């Protein structure tokens, strides 16, 4: 699939030479993950927090706990779900890092558990929604899911990379006497999209009302 990248997106990804390439982000993440200690024998003793009611940015990296999910170690966040009252949704969007030609991102998995930390549902990378250079997952919690009490969000164990085409808009300003003109041109390129054990996520819920502050 051909990805069209705007000049603004190009600038945000490659605005300065100090921005690490996606391959460098992945290498750092793998080194940090190898050095990380498993937090606990079971998720029942892992640190957790309430599911955010407002849109929240989360960084999966060495500042988070590490756990072995099905034999694969990963950094993760663990949220306690609110008592079920009505249908609501949880959306997790991965934020790309790196440069235009070399991008990394976390490919998230979501694991839901009941009060005894028995796995009830697992959502892996196979049904993620692609949005440009990012991926997104939306999960609905319906009446049949009322027994679910926790959700763990962690990175998939993927070492493969994807090569994608992009179009870049180039703007050159040319002076002609007292007048200034913008000349637009374009060029095609290829970028590598890498699965990373570290990276940023946007987490958002819909259908859960935030508590009203006391007056």
């Amino acid at each position: 699939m051909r990805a069209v990248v705007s000049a603004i997106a190009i600038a945000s990804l490659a605005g300065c030479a100090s921005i690490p390439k996606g391959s460098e982000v992945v290498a750092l993440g793998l080194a940090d993950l190898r050095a990380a200690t498993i937090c606990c024998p079971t998720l029942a003793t892992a640190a957790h927090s309430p599911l955010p009611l407002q849109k929240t940015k989360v960084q999966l990296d060495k500042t988070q706990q590490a756990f072995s999910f099905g034999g694969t170690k990963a950094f993760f966040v663990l949220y306690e779900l609110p008592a079920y009252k009505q249908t609501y949704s949880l959306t997790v969007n991965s934020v790309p890092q790196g440069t235009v030609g070399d991008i990394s991102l976390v490919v998230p998995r979501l694991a839901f558990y009941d009060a005894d930390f028995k796995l009830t549902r697992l959502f892996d990378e196979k049904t993620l929604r692609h949005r440009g250079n990012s991926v997104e997952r939306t999960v609905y919690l319906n009446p049949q899911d009322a027994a679910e009490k926790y959700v763990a969000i962690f990175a998939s164990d993927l070492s493969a990379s994807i090569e994608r085409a992009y179009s870049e808009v180039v703007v050159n300003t040319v002076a002609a006497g007292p007048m200034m003109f913008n000349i637009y041109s374009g060029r095609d390129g290829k970028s590598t999209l890498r699965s990373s054990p570290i990276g940023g996520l946007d987490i958002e819920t819909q259908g859960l009302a935030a508590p009203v502050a006391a007056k």
Side-chain angles (χ1 to χ4, degrees):
M1 181 178 67
R2 188 177 187 82
V4 178
V5 182
S6 69
I8 294 177
I10 293 290
S12 65
L13 281 172
C16 69
S18 63
I19 295 177
K21 295 180 180 180
S23 58
E24 296 170 337
V25 175
V26 173
L28 173 63
L30 290 173
D32 288 344
L33 191 58
R34 283 193 295 267
T37 302
I38 298 296
C39 71
C40 33
T42 69
L43 285 177
T45 56
H48 64 272
S49 57
L51 183 69
L53 300 183
Q54 305 295 329
K55 187 173 182 179
T56 301
K57 292 185 179 296
V58 172
Q59 193 71 18
L60 286 185
D61 56 22
K62 65 180 181 181
T63 64
Q64 304 290 355
Q65 302 172 98
F67 186 72
S68 179
F69 293 91
T72 300
K73 185 162 66 171
F75 296 119
F76 74 100
V77 289
L78 180 64
Y79 292 118
E80 182 175 1
L81 303 177
Y84 185 85
K85 295 180 180 180
Q86 60 190 24
T87 295
Y88 66 95
S89 65
L90 170 62
T91 298
V92 178
N93 181 68
S94 187
V95 180
Q97 295 180 267
T99 63
V100 173
D102 195 340
I103 303 168
S104 71
L105 77 164
V106 169
V107 180
R109 287 187 175 185
L110 277 68
F112 288 81
Y113 303 89
D114 64 14
D116 297 320
F117 283 92
K118 179 181 179 181
L119 182 66
T120 55
R121 293 189 289 171
L122 173 65
F123 297 88
D124 61 18
E125 63 281 352
K126 296 176 183 177
T127 54
L128 286 167
R129 180 181 303 165
H130 291 263
R131 292 190 179 279
N133 288 323
S134 184
V135 290
E136 178 187 282
R137 152 85 60 217
T138 297
V139 176
Y140 289 90
L141 288 96
N142 295 303
Q144 63 267 30
D145 309 309
E148 294 179 338
K149 298 299 182 183
Y150 299 93
V151 58
I153 304 174
F154 55 100
S156 299
D157 178 29
L158 297 176
S159 58
S161 60
I162 302 171
E163 191 174 80
R164 307 179 71 181
Y166 68 87
S167 295
E168 179 181 1
V169 177
V170 180
V171 182
N172 293 308
T173 302
V174 178
M179 305 296 292
M180 303 292 289
F181 298 93
N182 287 332
I183 298 177
Y184 294 85
S185 61
R187 65 183 180 187
D188 294 330
K190 290 185 178 180
S191 65
T192 301
L193 187 62
R194 306 175 190 275
S195 174
S196 176
I198 62 173
L201 299 172
D202 289 332
I203 298 174
E204 187 173 12
T205 59
Q206 294 288 339
L208 290 175
V212 178
K215 296 183 180 180

